[in-house]
């Protein structure tokens, strides 16, 4: 797969120097006056506007699973949650390696072999291509920007340049939080931390119920979520609320 290939058809949004300058201007206009909590969602929206993609989501690295922070719409949010639930998909490879993953067609055999369940589920939602970009570097990757489109193809070199620009601005936004948000633990990341805590609590309860280790408990939680057709967070809430026990399954 060659990142510089022309995806074919449609306008090459982000093409050339003019396209890059347009992207810089569009990002600046979108973020002007934005509160920190609004930045990730606004950047997802501007990515969809600038690039030949249908959706975008951003997730942060977590101790056990990526944590969805924002998305451009319901389908993009669902795909981010699906990757977290399955423990499978392009964003997981990016988090491990810090290198971009440009999956030009999820229907190709190599994608089906690499992410068999995720590829099948994503295709079922009408998504054919996924471009996952690191937030950070190969040394320090704090999360991923995932771009989705309903037609197969790759990003041209200029389009990839714009996508990396959006990812770079997203990285700065996430690593340069206001001091009060970092110091008090309250503010725009507090809700996300609460979600992460519920997953950890559910994993601990499953460990106690089944007498297994943390990795197996998380795998059980993910498997149960997938079987029920819910996200791993929704499954965790059921466990924490004592609506579901694993020693009774």
């Amino acid at each position: 797969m060659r990142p510089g290939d022309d995806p074919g058809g449609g306008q090459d949004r982000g093409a050339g120097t003019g396209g890059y300058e347009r992207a810089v201007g569009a990002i600046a206009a979108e973020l002007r006056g934005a509160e920190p909590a609004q930045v990730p969602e606004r950047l997802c929206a501007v990515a969809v506007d600038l690039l030949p993609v249908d959706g975008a989501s951003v997730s942060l690295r977590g101790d056990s699973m990526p944590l969805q922070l924002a998305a451009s719409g319901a389908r993009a949010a669902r795909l981010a949650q699906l990757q977290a639930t399955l423990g499978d998909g392009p964003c997981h490879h990016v988090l491990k390696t810090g290198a971009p993953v440009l999956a030009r067609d999820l229907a190709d055999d190599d994608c089906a072999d690499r992410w068999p369940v995720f590829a099948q589920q994503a295709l079922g939602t009408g998504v054919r291509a996924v471009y996952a970009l690191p937030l950070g570097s190969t040394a320090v990757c704090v999360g991923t920007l995932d771009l989705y489109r309903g037609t197969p193809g790759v990003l041209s070199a200029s389009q990839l340049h714009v996508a990396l620009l959006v990812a770079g601005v997203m990285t700065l936004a996430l690593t340069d939080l206001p001091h009060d948000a970092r110091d008090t633990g309250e503010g725009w990341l507090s809700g996300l931390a609460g979600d992460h805590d519920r997953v950890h609590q559910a994993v601990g309860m499953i460990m106690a119920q089944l007498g297994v280790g943390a990795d197996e408990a998380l795998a059980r939680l993910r498997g149960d979520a997938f079987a029920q057709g819910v996200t791993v967070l929704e499954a965790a809430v059921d466990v924490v609320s004592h609506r579901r026990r694993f020693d009774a399954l």
Side-chain angles (χ1 to χ4, degrees):
M1 188 180 336
R2 299 184 299 274
D5 284 351
D6 186 346
Q11 181 182 3
D12 186 1
R13 287 177 281 175
T17 302
Y20 187 80
E21 291 175 350
R22 172 179 174 264
V24 171
I27 292 170
E30 186 68 26
L31 297 185
R32 190 172 295 119
E35 297 294 328
Q38 300 172 319
V39 170
E41 186 172 349
R42 289 195 182 192
L43 284 172
C44 286
V46 80
V48 174
D49 180 59
L50 291 171
L51 296 164
V53 299
D54 304 310
S57 66
V58 58
S59 299
L60 293 180
R61 177 189 294 278
D63 293 338
S64 54
M65 54 181 279
L67 307 173
Q68 182 196 326
L69 183 57
S72 61
R75 183 165 66 169
R78 173 62 183 164
L79 287 162
Q81 293 162 2
L82 182 64
Q83 293 190 78
T85 297
L86 296 174
D88 185 32
C91 84
H92 288 274
H93 183 81
V94 173
L95 290 172
K96 289 178 182 177
T97 66
V101 172
L102 307 176
R104 67 170 304 277
D105 191 352
L106 293 175
D108 285 348
D109 289 342
D110 58 341
C111 289
D113 292 341
R114 195 174 187 183
W115 311 296
V117 181
F118 171 75
Q120 180 186 43
Q121 294 291 311
L123 288 169
T125 71
V127 169
R128 288 291 297 271
V130 179
Y131 317 116
L133 306 175
L135 302 181
S137 64
T138 54
V140 180
C141 179
V142 300
T144 67
L145 172 65
D146 299 318
L147 306 171
Y148 313 97
R149 62 188 273 180
T151 55
V154 298
L155 297 177
S156 68
S158 56
Q159 289 165 348
L160 182 58
H161 199 190
V162 170
L164 291 171
L165 169 66
V166 176
V169 174
M170 187 82 76
T171 303
L172 288 175
L174 297 179
T175 55
D176 191 25
L177 294 175
H179 288 292
D180 57 351
R182 288 198 302 264
D183 296 341
T184 66
E186 300 174 356
W188 68 294
L189 289 179
S190 59
L192 190 66
D195 291 348
H196 199 192
D197 288 345
R198 279 189 285 275
V199 172
H200 277 295
Q201 187 177 355
V203 167
M205 292 172 69
I206 296 169
M207 291 170 64
Q209 291 169 14
L210 299 180
V212 298
D215 288 345
E216 183 174 346
L218 178 59
R220 295 288 189 97
L221 181 64
R222 280 175 160 153
D224 189 58
F226 181 70
Q228 295 185 73
V230 300
T231 68
V232 70
L233 174 60
E234 290 168 334
V237 170
D238 283 344
V239 173
V240 172
S241 302
H242 303 284
R243 292 194 293 266
R244 193 163 185 83
R245 292 185 60 91
F246 279 68
D247 53 1
L249 296 180

